[in-house]
Amino acid sequence: CSVAISAMEDGRVIEINDACQEHTGYHRSEIIGLNAEELGLWIDPLDRADMVADLKRHGKVVNREVRWRSQAGAEMTVLFSADTIDMDGETHVLSVALDVTAQRQAEVRHSAILRALPDWVFLMSADGIFLDCHVKDREFLLAAPEDFVGRHVTEVLPPGLAANLTRLFEQVARRDQPGTFEYFVPAGGQIRYYEVRAVRCTDRILTIVRWISRRVSDAG
């Protein structure tokens, strides 16, 4: 983590650690003695103004996501935490910043992939509770996401389907191998066929549901 000590009022830097040099691209000699405005480290000056205001009100800031600009001009996303300390009768800020740029970029990529998928994607707990979902076309869902996220499959789905899904999740969690099965439900005045694929993701289950009615019809 980048660690720095700076003056509260003008952001004048007193000291930084080696990680701060590495993350920002500034050598210690280039940054100590300069203030926040002169460095241009904060992309949005209002972020620092809000941070200072919260420090004055509460004495600390915890895990505030802000954007910095490195010496080379690259934008960085950091989780910023800070506390106030007294030095020679003057209030200073002891700050710690964790660079999460790569993590945020990965999240953006994953979100884009999900948006491009035609399938329904559900994140489940290992015991069958809906934690999150991504559904482009909600027309044929048996319940709206706001009605099933946080609830168990047995509270939302028909008993037979819920029982099959519960067994699938138990199998996937136990064997650490992907599992799949097909099912059908009446929806929109017709019978719709689906394929479920599930895979363990740490202590959770990632489930992808694909509409296969056309495939079933062609095969029949």
Side-chain angles (χ1 to χ4, degrees), residues 107-181:
E107 290 172 354
V108 169
R109 288 194 297 270
H110 293 164
S111 177
I113 291 171
L114 284 176
R115 289 197 302 271
L117 287 175
D119 308 313
W120 297 343
V121 181
F122 302 92
L123 184 63
M124 316 289 299
S125 67
D127 57 355
I129 294 177
F130 288 96
L131 301 177
D132 199 2
C133 72
H134 175 81
V135 179
K136 292 183 67 174
D137 181 2
R138 301 185 177 191
E139 179 183 358
F140 295 106
L141 282 175
L142 297 182
E146 55 269 23
D147 293 330
F148 65 74
V149 171
R151 300 175 64 188
H152 194 272
V153 291
T154 56
E155 300 178 275
V156 179
L157 302 177
L161 176 57
N164 286 334
L165 281 174
T166 300
R167 284 193 292 269
L168 177 66
F169 296 157
E170 292 173 349
Q171 171 189 327
V172 168
R174 184 174 61 253
R175 300 179 182 177
D176 196 22
Q177 294 290 329
T180 182
F181 79 89

Side-chain angles (χ1 to χ4, degrees), residues 9-190:
E9 292 301 329
D10 61 6
R12 177 172 46 87
V13 179
I14 307 300
E15 185 57 273
I16 63 173
N17 69 345
D18 291 342
C20 189
Q21 293 184 101
E22 179 182 347
H23 293 159
T24 66
Y26 289 98
H27 187 269
R28 181 177 283 101
S29 61
E30 298 175 297
I31 196 171
I32 289 178
L34 298 181
N35 62 31
E37 183 177 351
E38 292 168 333
L39 284 168
L41 184 63
W42 295 72
I43 291 178
D44 187 349
L46 290 178
D47 284 342
R48 185 178 186 279
D50 289 343
M51 180 272 297
V52 171
D54 283 346
L55 276 173
K56 289 179 177 179
R57 283 194 299 264
H58 308 296
K60 65 180 179 180
V61 170
V62 179
N63 287 341
R64 180 77 56 81
E65 187 168 305
V66 299
R67 294 179 302 131
W68 283 0
R69 181 179 287 108
S70 72
Q71 186 186 43
E75 291 193 9
M76 307 163 53
T77 303
V78 302
L79 285 182
F80 185 88
S81 299
D83 207 341
T84 56
I85 57 174
D86 185 75
M87 294 174 55
D88 300 325
E90 183 180 352
T91 301
H92 287 73
V93 178
L94 175 63
S95 60
V96 179
L98 176 64
D99 185 359
V100 294
T101 306
Q103 178 182 337
R104 294 295 180 264
Q105 290 173 343
E107 290 172 354
V108 169
R109 288 194 297 270
H110 293 164
S111 177
I113 291 171
L114 284 176
R115 289 197 302 271
L117 287 175
D119 308 313
W120 297 343
V121 181
F122 302 92
L123 184 63
M124 316 289 299
S125 67
D127 57 355
I129 294 177
F130 288 96
L131 301 177
D132 199 2
C133 72
H134 175 81
V135 179
K136 292 183 67 174
D137 181 2
R138 301 185 177 191
E139 179 183 358
F140 295 106
L141 282 175
L142 297 182
E146 55 269 23
D147 293 330
F148 65 74
V149 171
R151 300 175 64 188
H152 194 272
V153 291
T154 56
E155 300 178 275
V156 179
L157 302 177
L161 176 57
N164 286 334
L165 281 174
T166 300
R167 284 193 292 269
L168 177 66
F169 296 157
E170 292 173 349
Q171 171 189 327
V172 168
R174 184 174 61 253
R175 300 179 182 177
D176 196 22
Q177 294 290 329
T180 182
F181 79 89
E182 297 180 4
Y183 70 95
F184 63 88
V185 292
Q190 58 183 300

